[in-house]
Amino acid sequence: MKLFLKIWRQENAQAKGQMVDYTIDGIDPNMSFLEMLDVLNEQLVAENKEPIEFDHDCREGICGTCSLQINGQPHGPDRLTTTCQLHMRKFKDGDTIYIEPFRAKAFPVVKDLVIDRSSFERIQQAGGYVSVNTSGNTIDANTIPVDKESADTAFDSAACIGCGACVAACKNASAALFVGAKISQFANLPQGQVEATQRAINMVNQMDAEGFGSCTNTGACEIECPKGIKLTNIATMNREYIKATTKG
Amino acid sequence: MGRYLNTTVAKKFAMGLSGLFLVSFLLMHVTVNFVSTVSPSVYNSLSEFMGYNFVVQLLLQPILVIGVVFHFVMGMVLEVNNRKARPIGYEKFDKSSNTTWMSRNMIITGIVILLFLGLHMYDFFFPELAYKFGNGYDAAQVPDFYTGLVAKFQDPIRVGIYVLSFVFLMLHLLHGFYGSFQSIGWGDRNSRALKGFAKWFSILVPLLFIYIALFHYFGSL
Ligand code: SF4
Ligand code: FES
């Protein structure tokens, strides 16, 4: 396959950055998208040029680092797929492909396609956990009975890998789906009830402090989420927040 | 409590709540208007009740005005904030692959509806102020609401503007009505039925308004 690539290049966080055109040939349709970028980088290194920085780690859809906006969609045209799971057979020979970093005020570009997603970490630190005594006499979580439906719902929410595609897809750069998933994961379990009030308030406050936009229910996040996190997680977050504020 | 009201979630909650309130008002309004196509006399007495009842005029009407103003101002505030959340945009952003036009353009449909409300106030609300609040209730002064209504729908341009505005209202509701439930934290298990209800309401109510306008236009030809 021969492809025409338009890729965002940016020297560092302060630099201005721009789209740069590349042509690449001999791409195997069975390659993953990241492998295609590897090939391009080898080509650039051979030409003594600076390779393109992009994030990746597991390359099997679990770590959530491989975040690229491909042809205007986070993680590319496939549904329920991360960039690392996207194959080149989804494109046609001679296609032009736009590759950009996820864009949000709260996701500043570090270099080229690499963004800083520590805003997600800070939201998690604000309440995305349950406090457990780990002094040696930790009680097994399974001793607390959980009904199947709640366990399944919590598990579905816990599938979020924190990739940021929801923010990237949203016209408001809202992190509501991510925060909704992290809040719902605990809201559906008895272990999460103890800190439910503080969790909802602190995580929502942190989300706002990071500069994410607000949810206008467009649903782009749900469609682009590689882990199938449902919009209902946002309704749960709203409910948890309202409950928390009227309580405390 | 106050410190909680400033978050995006609280603002959207308020947005959803005011939206649902306005939807309930629409339902009342379309019902009264529809009566005009069936019985002029019942329409006249309903209008008289609405126009002169103390509770409607001095309690419900101000609440409605506050509701409209709040919904619009909050919508604007959120829009401005949301734009700030992505200072550098994409070179290519394929929004139509994952969202509807309605959901992306609530601000546009909202502004059109607001402009229409201006015309609507000019047509119906302001002329009524003088006799409503001028000299107190005087049965001899009560106008023939039905004749006034039909007279407004003589002008094809005005009817055209009304019809077009209600199409925009439909687009606004098609996204906003169900979205309001989502914003107030409703819309989990019962969401399919709720979605269906919201969708049909959003289509039928504006269509009814359009029907009423056309009914009086063609009926008076
Ligand atoms: S909700 Fe989905 S899109 Fe958003 S961070 Fe989690 S996995 Fe990624
Ligand atoms: S590299 Fe880990 S999810 Fe893609």
Side-chain angles (χ1 to χ4, degrees), chain A residues 56-59 61-66 82 84:
Chain A
H56 60 99
D57 188 9
C58 71
R59 295 210 177 196
I62 29 178
C63 72
T65 51
C66 59
T82 53
C84 58

Side-chain angles (χ1 to χ4, degrees), chain A residues 19 72-73 79 100 103 105 167-168 170 172 205 208 214-217 224 231-232 235 238-239 241 245 248, chain B residues 4 7-9 12 78 82 84-86 88-94 97-99 175 179 182-183 185 188:
Chain A
M19 297 298 278
Q73 285 179 272
R79 299 288 176 239
E100 297 172 74
R103 294 281 189 202
K105 185 175 160 211
V167 175
C170 177
N172 312 319
N205 280 341
D208 286 356
S214 62
C215 171
T216 54
N217 307 307
E224 297 297 349
L231 268 190
T232 48
N238 295 345
R239 206 164 49 236
Y241 182 77
T245 51
Chain B
Y4 298 139
T7 61
T8 49
V9 173
K12 282 300 297 180
L78 287 168
N82 290 345
K84 282 194 210 145
R86 179 170 290 126
I88 300 171
Y90 293 108
E91 227 17 70
K92 186 168 178 180
F93 195 11
D94 188 2
S97 67
N98 50 33
T99 48
H175 176 69
Q182 174 90 8
S183 296
D188 260 1

